[in-house]
Amino acid sequence: DFSSSYRAPLWVDEQSLLAVSGDTLWRIAVPGGETTPAAVPENRRLLAIVAPAHAQRLPRPRVTIALHDPATKLSGFRTVDLVNGTFAARLEEPHAFGVDGPYHTDLSSDGTIIAYVAERGDRPPEVRITQDDLTHSNRITTLNPQVTRVLLGATRLVKWAGPRGEALYGALLMPGNYEPGKRFPLVVKVYGGSRLSERINRFGLQSGIDNLQLLSTRGYGVLLPDAPVRVGTPMEDLAATVMPGVDSVIALGLADPDRLALMGHSYGGYSVFAILVQTNRFKAAVSSGGFTNLFSHYAEMREDGSAVGIGWSEHDQGNMGGHPWQYRDRYLENSPFFYLDKVATPVLLLHGGADRTVLPARAEETFVALRRLGKAAEYVRYEGEEHHPGSWTVANATDYWNRIFAWLERYVPPR
C-alpha cells in the first residue's frame, strides 16, 4: 500500500522505480510491476526517501533514507547501496524531524548535503545540515533566541513493564532548574490509548499552547506515559499502565512521591478521572474538555443533529466494542462518574462553553457530582470557546494556564 507516501516513486534507472511502504524500501520493475524489497531497516520506522524536492530520479546509485527508532526514540539517516542492498553510513540523534517530515527534508542537487528541520525537548525546531557521509550534523539557524535564553528542561526516556509484561516508555521532561539529588514535583499528563513517549524529542513534548516547558520552567517535572488500552477495559488499563510509570520515576530518585499531579485534555480528561477513582496518590488534578459518563457522552447530539459519541464509543477511541444495550455493564464499569465517591484528589475542571466535541454538560455533570459528594473541585467555563484551548482568545488561554499554575502551586508547590 503506497497510499500514505508523500511523494511519487523515484526512477532508479530506465527499468525500475523506488518507493516506501510498510517500513520497507521497495524496487518496482517497469514494465510488469514486480515489487521486491531493496532494503529493510531492522527495528526502525522508515519515514521517507531523502531526495531533492523536485527530483524524479535518484542522482546516484545509492539512496539516503530517514528513519526513527521506536525503542530509543532517536531519528536520523542511513544510506543504502542500491546495487547490493547493504547499509553504509548512519547518523542517529536525539531529535525529532519536522512534523511533516518529507516536506522538512531536502537534498542538494548533487546529492552531497542533506538539509532538514529538527527539534528536541529543550530546543525549538531549527534547520540542520549533514554531509552524505553522515558523520555528524550542524545546526545552522537560531530562530528563537528569546526562548533558548530561558532555563529550559531537558528530556529523558523512562522504561517500565506493563501489566502483561510489555515494555512501556515515558517521555520525562525535567524541571529547568533541576538539581541532582533533589526530588521535584511531577505532573503526569495522560491520554488513554496513546504512546506519548514518542513525543520525547518534540520541543516541550507538545506544541503550541500545550508546550510543557510552561511547567518545566516553573520547577515541575512532566511525564507523558504510554497508556495502551484494550477493548472493554480502558479504565482498568489506564491505571495499570500509568501508575508503574510514575513509580519508575520515583524509583530513579527524581520525583517526590508526595507531590504528584495528574492532568489531561479531552479523552485525557476522561483518563484523569479513570485513574483518580482508583488511587489517592495524586495531590492535585486538572481535567480540561473531559467527561466521566460514557452513557451521556454516547447520547450527545450536536445542534446539527449529529451524534459523534456513537461511533467514538462503539468502535473507535472509546473502546467499548459495541453499544450500551449490548454491553451495559461494560459502559458502567468504565464510567468514572459512578465511582466519583472514591476521588480523594482536588480537581480543577476547565471547559470551553462552545465545545461541540465534548459538550460542556459533560464537565458540569461531573462537577455537580463532585460538589454533591463534598469533594474539592473547581469548575471554569469559558464562554464562546471551542474544544481545544489552542483556538481560544489570548485572554482566555492565558487565564486557562494561570489557573493551572495556581492550582498546582496550591497543592504541589515547587520548593
Side-chain angles (χ1 to χ4, degrees):
D1 178 8
F2 297 101
S3 63
S4 61
S5 178
Y6 285 85
R7 66 176 305 148
L10 291 167
W11 288 99
V12 179
D13 48 40
E14 301 303 323
Q15 288 80 39
S16 60
L17 296 163
L18 208 61
V20 172
S21 177
D23 294 327
T24 300
L25 188 66
W26 297 92
R27 187 189 289 263
I28 307 167
V30 180
E34 181 184 0
T35 308
T36 56
V40 182
E42 187 176 0
N43 299 322
R44 300 289 191 278
R45 287 183 52 221
L46 203 168
L47 304 177
I49 297 173
V50 179
H54 62 278
Q56 294 182 334
R57 68 171 61 242
L58 292 174
R60 294 184 173 191
R62 66 177 185 269
V63 64
T64 301
I65 52 178
L67 302 165
H68 174 71
D69 186 338
T72 65
K73 315 303 179 188
L74 301 178
S75 297
F77 305 96
R78 283 191 186 181
T79 56
V80 181
D81 187 322
L82 294 175
V83 176
N84 54 31
T86 59
F87 292 103
R90 178 176 71 178
L91 175 68
E92 291 184 320
E93 298 175 306
H95 291 133
F97 293 136
V99 176
D100 297 318
Y103 301 113
H104 290 167
T105 305
D106 203 359
L107 186 68
S108 61
S109 57
D110 63 1
T112 61
I113 301 175
I114 301 170
Y116 59 103
V117 176
E119 60 189 296
R120 69 185 191 198
D122 60 351
R123 187 94 201 184
E126 303 282 5
V127 179
R128 305 184 70 86
I129 61 170
T130 182
Q131 304 294 323
D132 65 342
D133 60 7
L134 301 180
T135 56
H136 66 282
S137 70
N138 294 311
R139 176 174 55 82
I140 63 170
T141 61
T142 303
L143 300 177
N144 292 282
Q146 76 284 1
V147 172
T148 53
R149 283 195 292 265
V150 177
L151 194 59
L152 300 170
T155 57
R156 60 184 292 179
L157 188 64
V158 183
K159 182 179 179 181
W160 63 92
R164 286 162 293 282
E166 71 275 33
L168 298 178
Y169 298 89
L172 177 63
L173 179 63
M174 304 289 283
N177 61 354
Y178 172 66
E179 299 176 23
K182 184 178 179 181
R183 291 184 181 268
F184 49 76
L186 180 69
V187 179
V188 183
K189 189 168 186 183
V190 291
Y191 196 89
S194 294
R195 301 275 179 171
L196 295 182
S197 64
E198 286 296 325
R199 299 177 182 267
I200 189 168
N201 291 317
R202 296 293 175 193
F203 175 53
L205 302 184
Q206 296 184 296
S207 60
I209 194 173
D210 296 314
N211 190 305
L212 296 171
Q213 291 286 357
L214 287 166
L215 294 175
S216 171
T217 53
R218 288 168 170 80
Y220 293 94
V222 186
L223 177 68
L224 264 59
D226 291 347
V229 297
R230 298 166 297 171
V231 173
T233 58
M235 200 163 94
E236 172 189 335
D237 294 340
L238 274 160
T241 55
V242 171
M243 296 312 297
V246 176
D247 290 335
S248 68
V249 182
I250 294 171
L252 289 170
L254 299 173
D256 184 342
D258 296 321
R259 288 185 294 162
L260 302 176
L262 188 63
M263 67 183 294
H265 177 75
S266 192
Y267 190 48
Y270 164 88
S271 304
V272 165
F273 279 101
I275 294 172
L276 290 183
V277 299
Q278 299 180 74
T279 179
N280 60 4
R281 293 177 59 189
F282 293 97
K283 299 300 186 288
V286 179
S287 173
S288 64
F291 56 94
T292 58
N293 189 335
L294 293 183
F295 291 102
S296 55
H297 189 56
Y298 182 93
E300 280 191 351
M301 187 171 73
R302 292 175 172 173
E303 291 159 337
D304 63 2
S306 60
V308 296
I310 292 176
W312 180 91
S313 302
E314 292 183 8
H315 301 296
D316 293 333
Q317 192 177 48
N319 280 291
M320 289 297 99
H323 57 66
W325 300 272
Q326 290 173 287
Y327 299 111
R328 180 184 60 187
D329 291 346
R330 183 178 290 180
Y331 275 76
L332 178 65
E333 293 301 319
N334 288 281
S335 292
F337 181 86
F338 299 102
Y339 299 93
L340 290 177
D341 58 318
K342 298 182 182 299
V343 172
T345 303
V347 186
L348 174 64
L349 296 102
L350 306 166
H351 218 101
D355 191 341
R356 292 298 173 263
T357 301
V358 179
L359 299 185
R362 302 290 74 76
E364 289 160 10
E365 66 185 0
T366 301
F367 174 71
V368 168
L370 290 171
R371 184 174 61 183
R372 170 63 183 85
L373 292 166
K375 306 298 182 179
E378 183 175 304
Y379 171 52
V380 185
R381 172 171 165 156
Y382 294 90
E383 291 304 328
E385 302 292 13
E386 298 180 353
H387 184 57
H388 190 264
S391 68
W392 294 5
T393 64
V394 172
N396 282 337
T398 302
D399 184 81
Y400 166 89
W401 266 112
N402 281 336
R403 289 180 186 272
I404 294 173
F405 298 148
W407 196 259
L408 296 176
E409 178 71 30
R410 178 177 176 182
Y411 293 104
V412 286
R415 292 172 182 163

